[in-house]
Amino acid sequence: MQKLKPGRLAAAFLLSTSICLWLGGCGLWNPNSEPEALFKQTLGGLAGKDSFRFTGKAAIRTESNKEFRESVAYEGILTEHDKLTIRSMLPAQPANAKKPKQVTVSNFHAAESGFRRQDGEWVHLFSEGNGMLSTSLARFNPLAQLDAIGRLPKQIKEASGAARGTRVLRIELNPTAARGWLAEQLEEEMGVIRQQANQAAQIGSSRDKRELADAWKKGDAQMKQMLDQSEVGMVYYLTIDKRSGFPLKLSSETNIRYLNLHNQEEEESLINDVSFIP
């Protein structure tokens, strides 16, 4: 056997070390692991990455209208291991429009939000652009979604039809846990909205401040009432590269059935697809 020279030996050692860091420790990555173990390995490897990108698309569909009501495309960039920026472009037209409008600045509303991972949580740092859209961008953070999947009760099993060189996991959250996770996300959004309203009220009159506070309280109470009476289902499909263990795609469908303000039952579905780019 040919011996490695000192320089090549050091290079080989560094390469081996980098591979171990990505896989979360030498010998831990096993593409043939059981679904639960495979998910944990993939999640650990992703948490060890310093930087990567992702792109995504999301759309809402109602029970009364089977076509998608609105859609949003977005992208995210992770840097320095814990800094995340999500940018979005929202078409100012229904997702089911037969003839799309010509793309101009007036047809699109750009938004951007920044987050930092602190003590295992993604803390909102700033929002720019379209106010309502930038507030909801946190819900499209796939890293927060994967963190939640990791800690919540769920069922994981192998999905059929995976492309060559990949494995696909079907992950269904416990219904009670799914409703709690959705409530947590919406409450965070309401908190950001309240913060923005308070900032805007600083330059207004006392009457303006009271009206903003009353509007926020009313909206918050209505949201909590609908959630308390709702049924929520969340199913995820995670596609994993068998060779590297890197997640290639995270698709999800969230179904919520609730009573509206007129005490009528409604159902909505949020479809979301995210592709990861190393």
Side-chain angles (χ1 to χ4, degrees):
M1 180 182 295
Q2 183 179 1
K3 293 184 178 180
L4 289 174
K5 295 182 180 180
R8 293 182 179 177
L9 183 61
F13 174 77
L14 290 174
L15 177 61
S16 174
T17 302
S18 65
I19 293 175
C20 287
L21 288 174
W22 160 235
L23 297 182
C26 285
L28 291 182
W29 171 244
N30 180 1
N32 299 315
S33 296
E34 292 298 315
E36 185 87 28
L38 184 69
F39 173 75
K40 291 180 180 179
Q41 293 169 18
T42 302
L43 195 62
L46 190 64
K49 292 283 285 183
D50 286 330
S51 62
F52 59 87
R53 294 177 52 241
F54 58 82
T55 61
K57 292 181 180 179
I60 295 175
R61 182 177 58 205
T62 61
E63 186 179 31
S64 58
N65 184 359
K66 298 303 182 181
E67 296 180 327
F68 291 107
R69 190 180 68 200
E70 51 187 74
S71 64
V72 58
Y74 57 93
E75 67 173 0
I77 302 175
L78 180 77
T79 58
E80 300 179 27
H81 190 72
D82 293 319
K83 289 184 178 180
L84 178 64
T85 301
I86 303 180
R87 302 185 182 94
S88 178
M89 298 295 289
L90 177 66
Q93 61 181 1
N96 59 356
K98 295 181 179 179
K99 294 183 179 180
K101 296 179 181 179
Q102 182 179 358
V103 178
T104 64
V105 174
S106 61
N107 285 343
F108 279 71
H109 306 282
E112 179 175 306
S113 291
F115 308 87
R116 178 185 288 275
R117 181 161 41 197
Q118 295 179 358
D119 300 325
E121 301 290 335
W122 289 97
V123 180
H124 177 265
L125 299 179
F126 69 87
S127 292
E128 298 177 355
N130 182 282
M132 293 300 295
L133 179 57
S134 61
T135 300
S136 64
L137 282 178
R139 207 186 312 174
F140 301 129
N141 177 358
L143 303 181
Q145 295 286 327
L146 287 169
D147 289 342
I149 294 172
R151 70 174 184 265
L152 295 174
K154 56 194 169 291
Q155 290 184 342
I156 303 180
K157 63 181 182 180
E158 191 96 12
S160 60
R164 183 180 232 176
T166 69
R167 290 182 67 182
V168 179
L169 302 181
R170 183 187 185 276
I171 308 167
E172 183 172 2
L173 294 186
N174 172 278
T176 302
R179 185 175 65 177
W181 170 230
L182 178 62
E184 182 180 329
Q185 295 175 81
L186 293 176
E187 286 172 2
E188 287 181 2
E189 289 182 23
M190 290 297 291
V192 174
I193 292 174
R194 184 176 189 178
Q195 183 180 17
Q196 293 173 343
N198 289 338
Q199 292 174 350
Q202 297 304 316
I203 60 176
S205 64
S206 298
R207 180 179 177 180
D208 293 335
K209 294 178 182 178
R210 286 196 302 270
E211 289 180 349
L212 281 171
D214 290 343
W216 184 88
K217 288 180 181 179
K218 183 178 180 180
D220 186 57
Q222 290 174 348
M223 181 196 73
K224 289 179 178 178
Q225 179 181 349
M226 287 189 290
L227 283 173
D228 286 342
Q229 302 172 350
S230 67
E231 297 178 4
V232 180
M234 290 186 183
V235 177
Y236 294 83
Y237 289 88
L238 180 63
T239 303
I240 303 167
D241 187 307
K242 290 179 65 175
R243 181 180 59 84
S244 66
F246 189 78
L248 301 176
K249 187 175 182 180
L250 179 67
S251 300
S252 65
E253 180 171 349
T254 299
N255 296 307
I256 175 170
R257 187 183 294 272
Y258 62 95
L259 296 178
N260 62 23
L261 299 179
H262 304 290
N263 209 34
Q264 298 171 331
E265 188 174 87
E266 292 191 18
E267 184 174 356
E268 291 185 350
S269 298
L270 173 65
I271 312 297
N272 192 25
D273 289 307
V274 184
S275 296
F276 295 90
I277 305 165

